[in-house]
Amino acid sequence: MLYCADCGAKLYQVRDKGWSHDKEYFVCASYRKQKGKCTSHQIKNIQVEEILLREIRKVTAFAKDHEDEFVDLVLKKKTSELNQVLRSQKKELDDSKDRIVKLDSIVQNLYEDSLEGKISAQRFEKWLKLMMKKKFQVQI
């Protein structure tokens, strides 16, 4: 959940069995994997914990002192996230509906080909079963 401020790569945890907690640190993945791609910088676990604690205290103090505004901010964020999920699910539904229309058209064409004798009845039934199976899978 930590990223390098210079190159944007993830920061990886570095620790050793014999180390005390105050010696553990995070290092840039770019530097660790490809020397020269980023600089050799690191941040100790204790520093990260102090920063997180300070920020948590700021947020809780703000929430305590400005409860209504805090609730509004949280609701706006949640509404935005829900709208994004809703848009994604609507797109998925539209794509599924389009797929069903396409499969229905294929089945109709197969039926017409069967009536005109272009394909055998056995072939039509086989294709129809396959198309219905695919249609059912889309609808689930």
Side-chain angles (χ1 to χ4, degrees), residues 115-127:
L115 289 178
E116 294 174 8
K118 293 180 181 177
I119 61 172
S120 68
Q122 294 86 3
R123 173 71 65 195
F124 172 72
E125 287 180 28
K126 184 177 180 180
W127 277 96

Side-chain angles (χ1 to χ4, degrees), residues 55-110:
E55 293 303 312
I56 290 170
R57 285 183 179 142
K58 281 183 189 178
V59 170
T60 54
F62 177 81
K64 182 180 173 187
D65 296 340
H66 305 90
E67 184 176 347
D68 292 339
E69 188 178 349
F70 181 76
V71 169
D72 286 343
L73 289 170
V74 171
L75 287 175
K76 283 179 186 174
K77 178 147 178 57
K78 279 296 171 192
T79 301
S80 173
E81 290 171 359
L82 288 173
N83 285 336
Q84 185 176 358
V85 168
L86 184 61
R87 281 191 301 273
S88 172
Q89 289 177 344
K90 186 180 180 325
K91 183 184 180 331
E92 186 177 342
L93 177 63
D94 290 344
D95 291 347
S96 294
K97 285 179 179 179
D98 290 345
R99 177 74 174 143
I100 289 168
V101 168
K102 184 176 180 182
L103 289 173
D104 284 344
S105 174
I106 291 171
V107 169
Q108 180 65 33
N109 289 339
L110 284 172

